[in-house]
Amino acid sequence: MLRPRVPVNPLPTGNVTPPVQPTPSAEIEPATPASASTPVPVAPGRTSVQLTPGSALALAAGGGAVVLVVGAVLVSMLLAVAITGVSVALIAVVLRLLVRDMQKGR
């Protein structure tokens, strides 16, 4: 009943442009340097990061601290949701008892 129907278009409609053919250009001559005696500056290579035992220990301690902080935040959020759920359930039970007492006419 709700099947999509895709229209079939075997031939393109509208204006179809032919592909662009590159035109041959004039011969390009290689550029010559302005002065052969001027040395070309060489980019310095990348320096690798050297980890000493002290910095590796600091990095591991920092990572551990981040994991502990994130874990504490997540556990506290879970605890807040659990406490809220329990309090809402308790209020629902109390309200149900009050409504039942009102219907009995006490």
Side-chain angles (χ1 to χ4, degrees), residues 3-26:
R3 292 186 182 173
R5 296 181 185 218
V6 179
V8 179
N9 190 6
L11 298 174
T13 58
N15 296 333
V16 179
T17 57
V20 177
Q21 298 292 331
T23 58
S25 60

Side-chain angles (χ1 to χ4, degrees), residues 11-100:
L11 298 174
T13 58
N15 296 333
V16 179
T17 57
V20 177
Q21 298 292 331
T23 58
S25 60
E27 190 174 319
I28 300 174
E29 296 180 17
T32 57
S35 173
S37 64
T38 307
V40 177
V42 178
R46 286 191 172 186
T47 59
S48 61
V49 177
Q50 300 291 328
L51 285 179
T52 62
S55 62
L57 184 64
L59 186 64
V66 167
V67 167
L68 288 177
V69 168
V70 170
V73 168
L74 290 177
V75 166
S76 65
M77 288 172 58
L78 180 64
L79 187 61
V81 169
I83 290 172
T84 304
V86 168
S87 65
V88 168
L90 186 63
I91 290 171
V93 168
V94 169
L95 284 176
R96 192 176 86 183
L97 290 174
L98 288 174
V99 168
R100 186 181 295 171

